[in-house]
Amino acid sequence: MKAQPGINQGSPAARYYRANDPKWHWLETREAPEVNEFLNAANQQHSQWFEPLAPLANTLYKSHLARRELAVTTLKTALDYFTFWSETGAEEDYPCWWRHPNDQPLERELFLDVRARAADQSFYDMGDMALSPDEQWLAWTEDTQGDERFTLWLKALPNGEPMQLLTDIGPGLCWAEDQTSLGATLLFTRFDDTQRPDSIWRLWIPFPALSDIPAPTLVIREEDSEFWLGIGKTRSREWLIIDSGSKDTTEIAVLPATNPAAKLEYLHARQPGIEVSIDHRPGVFYRLQNQTGPHFQLDYLAEEQLGRHDAPWQPLINHRDEATLEGVDAFAWGLIVAERSHREAQVVLRRIVLDEQQQALIDDYIALPETPCSQLLEDSPHFDTQEVRLREESFTRPPSWFSLNLQSGERTLLKCVAVYGDLSPEQLVCRRLWATSDDGEQVPVSVVMRADLANQALPTLLYGYGAYGEALDPWFSIARLELLERGVAFAVAHVRGGGERGEPWYLQGKMAHKENSFNDFLAAREVLVSAGVSDPQRIAACGASAGGLLVGTCLNRSPQAFCAAVLDVPFLDVLRTMQNPALPLTTAEYSEWGNPEAPEVEQRIRNYSPIDNITQQTYPALWIEGSWFDTRVSYWEPAKFYALVSQAQQGEAPILLHTDMSSGHGGASGRFKAWRDTARQDAFILWALGLAPQTTQ
């Protein structure tokens, strides 16, 4: 397929341009009919351009389906009374949930048919499922629009009639441990006008008389617009944890799980810039905190000290320069701590067996199958278990689940994702490169490709994120095999602003240091070329959400570096969004990007905000995706970027926008529609890299 001459000049951006609104701010008026007209016109342009590639997309989609096991049964998890699991049929988008009594595996019962609940919905997302302590009642939340506002449902298991309890709440749920024959307490969050979870409520559910459910009772309300509330429960089931957090500050309050109406006790008071997380063993609280140093330290506190403002927390694992402590999970016998090596950009799990004096009887690391890889502690509901479940995967190893006996060290494979087709994981190879950024910092770059092509410069897809401290640890993708089999190398730039090298890596890529993220991404592109991995003329970039900001900024600064880019629900209108505190997320993001009310912050954001730096130049081919119900990145951000770049485009490469009119930030809710969307993006990427079949040229 060749670029159509004048495609951008004749696009909806030309037809709908308003001289009195050159920044396209009118697109922000959702109710205006011309907004829908413009988006539909852009979707039509997108479809017409893509039509010759549709056969390739269909081939990719069918090949993707042929590679995976479509009928999926999850691992069974035994709770106190019942064992639970889900099954998804080969032709189904959504699962069915089953259970059987722990000692009667043949007595299986279907207790929730998600397929049926989603059947009449154009969008369906289950936010959370929560079982009552006796495992006889199920509460869950649903979003049927994509705007992340949820409805609360309740049913008696297995066959009770679903009952709608509340609308317009947050997704998360948590049962207290106060259940009697009369009922139990369920806790949930509610939003303010900017969709910030600003309050936690408790709801007494009288199981014998559901028609008499009282109104919810407010537990706590957070007035600071930069802070979000969350609710959880310790694995010991003794405490409810209420955290109020901004991007860089945490406050922790606790409630006895058996008495959720009790007075809140503050375990950690709010201190600007201090983040904490809490877990519990009988008699002891554990706290990860970055007050001692930016890489976090693990402390403990005797439970009897709760309520004392001068409570003497004692160090268990001191702050270290070479590793960041990322998480702690408490069990009856001790702790599992997640540590991230700054040098290796690798997470390891550390097992610590403790005596009553908090002295370590055993302190060792759980072995990794390879590096780099991802090793995660899966949900382990039993506090006293000596067997934990691990999930392991890498760029070349599909996800596998193991049971690890902590006493004997024996590992038992429970499940491995099956991969079918001509290209097997064993035929892939992963490399770790190190790019030198503008300031001399070494930036890790991961690359996966076919082993038989590893000694030649390949067309490459370079992916990046780099925000909020999120780490792009190695992950396996069956859909990615469609690109790899056709000779594409897939690379990940682990830029600053992410968390791949620990907390310092995050801090060096946010606020006043955000420029590092962009320099790192372009340096990653250069090392791929200098190392002989990538063909310099055939490198495409890809970023989603805040990764779209990363890629969008780099496109403005160095459009010749890439032959194409995919921007998926991209955060592009950074300055205008951050200047509008009425939008969802804005105030909570001040500690990530800064508050532009300060002139120096406004100028800093203006210098990189993609929409504010579009210039008359030759842009590569762009595939831009937005979602109509997206509350995290409003639909108008990708739409305005599309319009402005179409006007500025000095070349003939297509600038394309597709807005999904039935989805939110996460895209399509059904797995088959999501896979079709991926196939279309991959067809565009293959076209841009010169790998589309000649029949579609």
Side-chain angles (χ1 to χ4, degrees):
M1 179 190 293
K2 298 185 183 301
Q4 302 169 22
I7 181 175
N8 302 304
Q9 288 80 1
S11 74
R15 302 199 305 273
Y16 285 83
Y17 174 69
R18 297 180 181 181
N20 63 348
D21 187 5
K23 295 293 187 181
W24 295 80
H25 295 326
W26 65 269
L27 286 173
E28 298 175 12
T29 307
R30 180 187 291 268
E31 300 80 12
E34 56 269 28
V35 171
N36 255 279
E37 292 174 12
F38 173 79
L39 296 178
N40 288 331
N43 281 353
Q44 184 178 8
Q45 177 205 22
H46 179 281
S47 296
Q48 290 174 345
W49 183 91
F50 187 74
E51 187 175 353
L53 283 176
L56 173 59
N58 196 47
T59 297
L60 293 171
Y61 173 72
K62 289 182 177 179
S63 180
H64 173 196
L65 297 188
R67 292 184 189 278
R68 66 167 60 246
E69 196 167 44
L70 294 175
V72 177
T73 299
T74 63
L75 290 178
K76 294 185 175 182
T77 299
L79 301 184
D80 289 342
Y81 309 105
F82 289 86
T83 296
F84 295 84
W85 74 98
S86 71
E87 297 177 0
T88 305
E91 298 182 358
E92 303 294 344
D93 274 316
Y94 301 95
C96 292
W97 282 90
W98 296 81
R99 71 174 189 176
H100 67 67
N102 285 343
D103 57 351
Q104 301 176 53
L106 298 181
E107 301 299 319
R108 49 184 275 155
E109 301 171 325
L110 172 65
F111 68 88
L112 186 65
D113 188 341
V114 184
R115 302 169 308 174
R117 300 201 62 80
D120 298 326
Q121 307 292 340
S122 60
F123 179 92
Y124 183 90
D125 180 41
M126 179 171 287
D128 197 9
M129 294 172 57
L131 288 161
S132 61
D134 69 354
E135 302 171 22
Q136 294 292 356
W137 293 85
L138 179 72
W140 72 95
T141 52
E142 295 178 346
D143 171 15
T144 56
Q145 184 159 278
D147 60 358
E148 299 184 58
R149 293 185 178 274
F150 291 81
T151 299
L152 173 62
W153 293 83
L154 177 76
K155 69 174 290 186
L157 299 185
N159 298 316
E161 186 67 24
M163 178 179 181
Q164 180 178 310
L165 300 184
L166 297 167
T167 60
D168 200 15
I169 69 169
L173 302 171
C174 183
W175 289 96
E177 293 289 326
D178 62 344
Q179 184 171 358
T180 67
S181 60
L182 299 178
T185 299
L186 183 67
L187 294 100
F188 63 92
T189 58
R190 273 182 166 152
F191 297 136
D192 66 6
D193 292 339
T194 66
Q195 208 164 344
R196 174 180 66 98
D198 74 326
S199 56
I200 290 177
W201 300 74
R202 67 174 187 269
L203 179 65
W204 174 254
I205 299 180
F207 297 136
L210 292 177
S211 60
D212 297 325
I213 296 178
T217 300
L218 179 67
V219 176
I220 183 175
R221 187 182 300 278
E222 175 56 69
E223 301 294 347
D224 192 322
S225 62
E226 291 191 40
F227 283 74
W228 290 23
L229 287 170
I231 180 73
K233 185 165 53 180
T234 61
R235 184 179 281 104
S236 65
R237 302 187 190 177
E238 293 188 14
W239 294 93
L240 298 169
I241 305 290
I242 295 176
D243 64 276
S244 181
S246 69
K247 294 295 183 180
D248 64 358
T249 302
T250 316
E251 183 174 66
I252 300 289
V254 295
L255 288 169
T258 56
N259 185 16
K263 177 184 175 183
L264 286 170
E265 293 281 1
Y266 283 85
L267 196 56
H268 177 84
R270 188 172 308 186
Q271 302 175 58
I274 304 304
E275 299 175 79
V276 302
S277 61
I278 297 291
D279 211 332
H280 171 264
R281 295 170 67 223
V284 187
F285 287 104
Y286 298 90
R287 177 186 70 173
L288 281 180
Q289 51 86 7
N290 64 346
Q291 185 172 13
T292 307
H295 312 154
F296 289 82
Q297 176 169 301
L298 180 61
D299 302 327
Y300 67 92
L301 174 74
E303 192 173 321
E304 62 191 24
Q305 301 291 332
L306 180 63
R308 286 183 48 182
H309 294 295
D310 58 346
W313 289 89
Q314 302 296 322
L316 187 64
I317 301 179
N318 291 315
H319 176 271
R320 292 174 293 155
D321 290 335
E322 68 272 15
T324 292
L325 304 182
E326 292 193 337
V328 58
D329 282 271
F331 295 85
W333 44 263
L335 309 170
I336 291 182
V337 179
E339 293 187 3
R340 182 176 294 274
S341 165
H342 298 167
R343 184 173 66 88
E344 300 294 335
Q346 174 67 56
V347 172
V348 291
L349 298 179
R350 180 175 177 181
R351 177 187 63 148
I352 306 174
V353 178
L354 297 166
D355 64 15
E356 293 182 357
Q357 287 72 45
Q358 306 307 305
Q359 298 299 307
L361 302 175
I362 299 175
D363 188 348
D364 58 13
Y365 291 92
I366 296 174
L368 295 170
E370 63 178 284
T371 57
C373 75
S374 295
Q375 185 186 70
L376 304 175
L377 180 67
E378 285 282 87
D379 184 35
S380 299
H382 295 292
F383 184 62
D384 59 353
T385 185
Q386 287 288 347
E387 289 203 11
V388 297
R389 286 181 177 177
L390 303 175
R391 185 182 192 270
E392 298 175 349
E393 66 181 307
S394 72
F395 287 116
T396 61
R397 179 192 296 260
S400 298
W401 288 263
F402 294 87
S403 175
L404 175 65
N405 187 303
L406 295 171
Q407 293 176 311
S408 67
E410 181 181 0
R411 285 165 53 101
T412 303
L413 177 64
L414 302 175
K415 180 181 179 180
C416 180
V417 170
V419 180
Y420 304 106
D422 295 335
L423 184 64
S424 67
E426 293 76 21
Q427 294 171 292
L428 304 177
V429 63
C430 180
R431 292 179 60 184
R432 172 64 63 84
L433 306 177
W434 293 88
T436 302
S437 197
D438 281 20
D439 59 355
E441 182 61 81
Q442 296 296 292
V443 180
V445 183
S446 299
V447 193
V448 60
M449 68 201 90
R450 278 170 42 184
D452 62 327
L453 301 178
N455 294 321
Q456 54 187 284
L458 300 175
T460 301
L461 178 63
L462 176 61
Y463 185 84
Y465 187 71
Y468 307 111
E470 295 293 329
L472 295 178
D473 286 326
W475 77 100
F476 189 85
S477 167
I478 292 179
R480 187 191 302 146
L481 295 176
E482 295 305 312
L483 298 178
L484 298 180
E485 184 173 49
R486 289 164 174 80
V488 177
F490 177 78
V492 178
H494 303 286
V495 306
R496 281 172 284 184
E500 286 88 342
R501 300 188 72 186
E503 191 70 7
W505 204 245
Y506 170 46
L507 299 176
Q508 292 170 29
K510 64 179 291 192
M511 299 289 282
H513 305 292
K514 189 59 193 171
E515 287 291 328
N516 287 333
S517 299
F518 314 127
N519 294 334
D520 292 355
F521 192 73
L522 292 173
R525 187 263 183 203
E526 294 308 307
V527 79
L528 288 167
V529 174
S530 63
V533 171
S534 301
D535 178 345
Q537 302 304 314
R538 295 196 292 170
I539 302 177
C542 181
S545 195
L549 160 62
L550 174 72
V551 173
T553 299
C554 292
L555 288 172
N556 283 331
R557 296 182 178 183
S558 188
Q560 73 285 353
F562 305 101
C563 66
V566 173
L567 302 168
D568 200 354
V569 289
F571 182 32
L572 298 165
D573 202 1
V574 185
L575 180 58
R576 187 169 173 85
T577 294
M578 295 309 298
Q579 288 174 329
N580 187 352
L583 289 174
L585 306 185
T586 291
T587 55
E589 304 276 88
Y590 286 157
S591 56
E592 180 73 24
W593 316 105
N595 186 342
E597 288 185 2
E600 68 278 9
V601 175
E602 178 186 3
Q603 187 58 50
R604 185 176 76 228
I605 296 175
R606 188 184 299 277
N607 287 344
Y608 66 75
S609 176
I611 275 181
D612 296 291
N613 289 277
I614 295 168
T615 60
Q616 299 283 324
Q617 59 181 333
T618 300
Y619 282 89
L622 299 185
W623 177 287
I624 307 166
E625 294 270 5
S627 288
W628 179 246
F629 291 107
D630 194 338
T631 58
R632 296 175 183 260
V633 176
S634 300
Y635 69 88
W636 60 74
E637 295 203 29
K640 289 198 288 185
F641 187 80
Y642 153 78
L644 289 165
V645 174
S646 295
Q647 292 176 303
Q649 174 67 299
Q650 298 299 292
E652 292 189 345
I655 311 300
L656 303 167
L657 170 70
H658 176 260
T659 304
D660 189 327
M661 304 303 289
S662 64
S663 297
H665 192 66
S669 56
R671 59 177 183 161
F672 289 99
K673 185 175 185 297
W675 291 338
R676 281 200 178 276
D677 290 347
T678 297
R680 282 190 284 268
Q681 283 191 4
D682 286 351
F684 169 80
I685 291 166
L686 289 171
W687 167 82
L689 295 176
L691 296 173
Q694 291 299 312
T695 55
T696 61
Q697 294 299 304

